Amino acid sequence: LMEKIRRVDPTSLTEEELLKGCTKLRYMQHRDESTTTASLGFRVDGMVRGSVDFCGDLKAIQSEDDVRQALRWFVGTAPALLRAAFLKELVALQSCLENSMWFRTHELIASSLLFVYDDEMLTKKPAVYLIDFAKTLPLEEGQILTHTEPWVAGNREDGYLIGLRSFSSILHRLLHDESNELPPLSPSPSAAAQPRTEAQTEPVELESNNCSSQEHTTARAS
């Protein structure tokens, strides 16, 4: 883990860490601080459009502006209708999760959202999928999570809604750039992102499928 940090930013390591190594929590915190996880509550983890991978370095996406530029690449020349469709899916997903007892009683670690659209003509409905549940765990009986409160040892808060609301707000503002008549985002405003902790969720992943060439265009955020 120390070597992974050294390859990215050797100046961030202390003398003690260089000699003795570092903990997994220290590595995770560094990884999140070097992406958008700490500042926005999520990170873009993969992106493909047709047979073309995202040409930029996903690790270099470190700000909201970087995320918006990556999203512009992902949707390509598709009409604003695609952005609006994704936003509608996210708002519906957020509402569903906020009213789900299952969601309140499970800790989602390393879970992702997968964004999929078929082609730039939108011959099929764009979709957003929840994926990666290998590390999703049920809580102790009687325990409830908000998915928005800061993590402290033992509370198992994962920050899932922080990332979801943050991503929805970015997509909303991106759509607003193209239309001054965009309605307010609902059902609730985005929450300020908390620094990543050992319990927080992973980045977002986006994915789309190009029907005309039988190839997949995908993007993932955790």
Side-chain angles (χ1 to χ4, degrees):
L1 296 179
M2 184 270 291
E3 286 299 327
K4 289 183 178 180
I5 295 178
R6 192 211 298 266
R7 287 197 292 269
V8 176
D9 182 13
T11 63
S12 66
L13 293 166
T14 65
E15 291 185 6
E16 182 177 4
E17 288 172 337
L18 288 170
L19 292 173
K20 300 180 180 180
C22 63
T23 66
K24 182 178 180 180
L25 178 58
R26 168 74 170 91
Y27 165 72
M28 292 173 65
Q29 289 173 332
H30 176 271
R31 181 187 62 183
D32 294 342
E33 289 167 359
S34 63
T35 64
T36 56
T37 303
S39 60
L40 300 177
F42 70 89
R43 72 174 183 268
V44 178
D45 207 33
M47 195 175 292
V48 178
R49 194 177 70 203
S51 60
V52 181
D53 290 334
F54 181 63
C55 59
D57 182 3
L58 292 174
K59 294 181 180 179
I61 299 178
Q62 299 181 348
S63 68
E64 178 177 331
D65 285 344
D66 293 338
V67 172
R68 292 170 72 173
Q69 288 299 322
L71 287 175
R72 288 190 179 97
W73 179 88
F74 176 62
V75 298
T77 58
L81 179 63
L82 174 61
R83 300 160 176 79
F86 277 141
L87 183 59
K88 183 178 180 180
E89 289 286 301
L90 289 176
V91 170
L93 174 60
Q94 180 181 323
S95 178
C96 181
L97 291 177
E98 289 177 341
N99 290 283
S100 167
M101 182 54 68
W102 181 91
F103 184 62
R104 298 175 194 172
T105 57
H106 284 75
E107 175 188 20
L108 281 70
I109 301 176
S111 180
S112 302
L113 293 179
L114 184 65
F115 293 73
V116 183
Y117 69 96
D118 289 303
D119 56 35
E120 295 184 354
M121 298 304 294
L122 301 186
T123 55
K124 293 185 179 181
K125 181 182 178 181
V128 179
Y129 299 100
L130 282 74
I131 62 172
D132 299 336
F133 293 103
K135 296 181 180 179
T136 295
L137 301 171
L139 304 179
E140 300 294 333
E141 185 175 355
Q143 186 176 7
I144 297 291
L145 295 185
T146 66
H147 299 281
T148 60
E149 294 183 5
W151 176 87
V152 294
N155 76 351
R156 302 182 67 175
E157 287 285 352
D158 54 29
Y160 196 97
L161 287 178
I162 293 175
L164 177 57
R165 292 171 179 174
S166 176
F167 190 85
S168 296
S169 293
I170 291 174
L171 189 58
H172 182 266
R173 287 191 286 274
L174 182 62
L175 186 56
H176 186 268
D177 289 345
E178 303 163 356
S179 172
N180 292 324
E181 300 179 356
L182 189 66
L185 182 63
S186 60
S188 57
S190 62
Q194 301 293 336
R196 167 176 273 280
T197 66
E198 190 172 11
Q200 279 184 300
T201 58
E202 290 301 306
V204 179
E205 173 167 1
L206 310 172
E207 176 165 0
S208 76
N209 172 40
N210 187 317
C211 294
S212 60
S213 62
Q214 298 299 312
E215 294 173 336
H216 292 286
T217 300
T218 64
R220 174 175 184 168
S222 305

